[in-house]
């Protein structure tokens, strides 16, 4: 069931020729993972200065 959301989103982008959305989604996911994984560490102040 988890993979079904990702599969549906990819099928939507493929059928509607919206593949330009893929890099945007990947960048947002990477930023979210970076913030979650570095929360509470010594790296956190440096990340906030980037934004």
């Amino acid at each position: 069931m988890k993979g079904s959301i990702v599969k549906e989103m990819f099928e939507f982008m493929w059928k509607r020729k919206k593949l330009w959305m893929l890099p945007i989604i990947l960048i947002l996911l990477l930023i979210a993972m970076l913030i979650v994984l570095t929360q509470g560490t010594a790296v956190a102040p440096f990340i906030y200065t980037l934004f």
Side-chain angles (χ1 to χ4, degrees), residues 32-49:
M33 285 176 38
L34 181 69
I35 290 172
V36 168
L37 292 176
T38 60
Q39 186 176 5
T41 64
V43 182
F46 299 109
I47 292 174
Y48 293 121
T49 59

Side-chain angles (χ1 to χ4, degrees), residues 5-47:
I5 293 173
V6 175
K7 183 180 173 186
E8 285 183 29
M9 187 180 339
F10 186 72
E11 287 176 0
F12 168 78
M13 289 189 296
W14 185 261
K15 287 179 184 176
R16 308 258 188 215
K17 306 293 186 214
K18 302 282 186 190
L19 293 176
W20 57 268
M21 292 172 57
L22 193 61
I24 296 170
I25 294 170
L26 290 176
I27 295 293
L28 289 174
L29 287 174
L30 286 173
I31 291 173
M33 285 176 38
L34 181 69
I35 290 172
V36 168
L37 292 176
T38 60
Q39 186 176 5
T41 64
V43 182
F46 299 109
I47 292 174

